[in-house]
């Protein structure tokens, strides 16, 4: 029983205190001191919840008996009784080896006061279920077979217990513990795991996919349109006819404007009267010029129209036996005007 008790203490101490580095650096020591002072200040204010992590980090950076004692005291105040109990026992062991009797006694007294209040968890593994390579863990920490069936102190709350073994399905369960009570969890017989599927094989039945649906036959190519008549030249000449007609219209408009300005000027005599003033002569000359522009524009437009129509009719194109038509064209013109009529 003494060996079992030592194992329990070692287990709790190992899971509640951090590993001690061989030697802390100067920066670690300075940081650890700052964290220790801040943790103590918050403990004095009653803020144990934020003080404990700072003391724990200080102890990790630069382990010290005083830091661990204060950390144990802080854990007791936040309800982590098993962690506090384990830390007090660790302090008692260290101070005992140093010969610090008073500090050892203080730590042991605190640990003994906590012992009846501890929550405990026992992991039972019946002999018939202890298969080869069985591994049991509590909250991720290995529970060695020497501790199976022993009520180990734990902090109150939920704890996950897991079991693994080669060729077996894993098992896990969550156990709730309370201060002053012992909870027990029994590892069941782990079921056999299915054999691994060899590489390149499958446990599913392969079904050949259905053949793809045949593609519909392609649409026949669209035949090219029958060649038609090329009326490009006719369009160009007809466009020129429109331009010349526009010039003729502009000449008529400007001629009328100049004549109107002449008639509106009181200093200008009748247009047939001799001896006109110079500015009146300018108006007459300008009107005559625009009259010439109009005549030339209309005449050129008429000729271009006749040429465009002729080119259009002369251009060969597809014809049918029933599409024979008679074509006639008649054009006429006068001063400042031009017109054409025909049947097609």
């Amino acid at each position: 029983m003494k060996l079992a008790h030592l194992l329990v203490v070692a287990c709790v101490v190992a899971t509640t205190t951090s590993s001690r580095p061989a030697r802390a650096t100067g920066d670690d020591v300075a940081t650890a001191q700052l964290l220790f002072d801040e943790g103590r200040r918050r403990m004095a204010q009653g803020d144990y919840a934020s003080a404990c992590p700072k003391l724990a980090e200080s102890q990790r950076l630069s382990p010290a008996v005083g830091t661990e004692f204060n950390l144990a005291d802080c854990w007791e105040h936040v309800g982590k009784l098993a962690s506090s109990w384990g830390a007090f026992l660790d302090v008692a062991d260290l101070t005992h080896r140093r010969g610090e009797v008073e500090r050892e006694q203080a730590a042991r007294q605190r640990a003994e006061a906590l012992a009846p209040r501890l929550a405990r968890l026992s992991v039972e593994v019946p002999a018939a279920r202890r298969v080869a390579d069985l591994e049991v863990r509590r909250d991720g920490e290995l529970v060695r077979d020497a501790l199976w069936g022993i009520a180990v102190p734990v902090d109150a709350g939920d704890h996950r217990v897991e079991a693994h073994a080669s060729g077996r399905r894993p098992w896990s369960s969550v156990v709730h513990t309370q201060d002053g009570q012992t909870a027990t969890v029994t590892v069941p017989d782990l079921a056999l795991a299915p054999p691994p599927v060899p590489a390149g094989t499958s446990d599913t039945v392969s079904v050949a996919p259905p053949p793809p649906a045949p593609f519909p036959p392609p649409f026949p190519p669209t035949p090219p349109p029958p060649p038609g008549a090329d009326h490009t030249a006719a369009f160009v000449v007809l466009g020129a006819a429109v331009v010349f007609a526009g010039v003729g219209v502009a000449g008529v408009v400007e001629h009328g404007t100049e004549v109107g300005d002449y008639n509106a000027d009181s200093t200008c005599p009748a247009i047939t009267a001799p001896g006109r003033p110079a500015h009146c002569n300018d108006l007459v000359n300008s009107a005559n010029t625009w009259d010439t522009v109009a005549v030339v524009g209309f005449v050129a437009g008429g000729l271009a129209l006749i040429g465009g129509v002729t080119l259009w009719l002369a251009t060969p194109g597809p014809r049918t036996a029933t599409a024979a038509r008679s074509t006639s064209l008649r054009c006429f013109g006068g001063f400042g005007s031009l017109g054409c009529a025909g049947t097609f």
Side-chain angles (χ1 to χ4, degrees):
M1 291 297 295
K2 185 176 181 180
L3 177 59
H5 178 73
L6 293 176
L7 286 173
V8 169
V9 174
C11 178
V12 174
V13 171
T15 56
T16 57
T17 59
S18 33
S19 60
R20 293 181 172 82
R23 179 178 299 176
T25 64
D27 291 341
D28 289 344
V29 173
T31 304
Q33 184 63 47
L34 291 174
L35 290 169
F36 175 79
D37 294 341
E38 181 63 18
R40 287 282 298 167
R41 186 182 69 81
R42 298 196 180 196
M43 286 179 65
Q45 296 175 350
D47 187 6
Y48 293 98
S50 63
C52 293
K54 300 187 181 302
L55 293 173
E57 180 63 12
S58 175
Q59 179 66 7
R60 186 190 69 83
L61 292 174
S62 180
V65 172
T67 304
E68 189 170 11
F69 187 92
N70 280 274
L71 179 58
D73 180 59
C74 188
W75 274 338
E76 181 179 359
H77 281 86
V78 296
K80 300 180 68 173
L81 302 185
S83 297
S84 175
W85 177 75
F88 278 131
L89 289 179
D90 193 39
V91 172
D93 179 63
L94 291 173
T95 53
H96 174 75
R97 284 183 284 174
R98 295 180 181 182
E100 300 175 0
V101 179
E102 293 184 1
R103 299 180 74 177
E104 177 190 358
Q105 290 179 349
R108 291 195 185 279
Q109 288 174 1
R110 297 288 295 271
E112 291 172 358
L114 288 172
R117 300 166 54 194
L118 299 177
R120 299 176 185 270
L121 176 60
S122 175
V123 180
E124 302 285 347
V125 185
R129 301 173 185 174
R130 299 183 182 186
V131 298
D133 300 328
L134 179 62
E135 183 180 271
V136 180
R137 292 183 177 272
R138 182 190 67 248
D139 299 327
E141 296 290 337
L142 179 64
V143 180
R144 301 186 180 278
D145 53 0
L147 292 176
W148 294 349
I150 296 178
V152 178
V154 294
D155 291 329
D158 293 335
H159 299 273
R160 177 175 291 275
V161 179
E162 301 171 285
H164 303 267
S166 300
R168 304 277 178 163
R169 293 182 181 273
W171 167 88
S172 66
S173 179
V174 177
V175 185
H176 183 75
T177 60
Q178 296 179 349
D179 289 335
Q181 299 182 11
T182 298
T184 301
V185 59
T186 302
V187 176
D189 188 12
L190 300 184
L192 292 173
V197 178
T201 62
S202 174
D203 55 357
T204 59
V205 179
S206 299
V207 179
F215 289 102
F219 291 104
T222 303
D230 185 4
H231 299 292
T232 303
F235 282 131
V236 172
V237 176
L238 289 173
V242 174
V243 173
F244 285 131
V247 172
V249 172
V252 171
V253 173
E254 292 298 327
H255 172 78
T257 301
E258 297 295 338
V259 172
D261 291 343
Y262 184 93
N263 294 330
D265 192 339
S266 60
T267 61
C268 293
I271 195 168
T272 58
R276 293 187 296 265
H279 71 280
C280 295
N281 287 330
D282 292 339
L283 291 175
V284 171
N285 293 334
S286 178
N288 292 334
T289 299
W290 282 114
D291 183 59
T292 302
V293 170
V295 172
V296 172
F298 283 123
V299 171
L303 294 175
L305 176 62
I306 295 172
V309 172
T310 303
L311 286 174
W312 182 284
L313 298 177
T315 301
R319 300 176 182 271
T320 60
T322 59
R325 299 176 182 176
S326 60
T327 303
S328 63
L329 178 64
R330 181 170 58 88
C331 296
F332 55 90
F335 180 77
S337 65
L338 177 67
C340 290
T343 58
F344 303 92

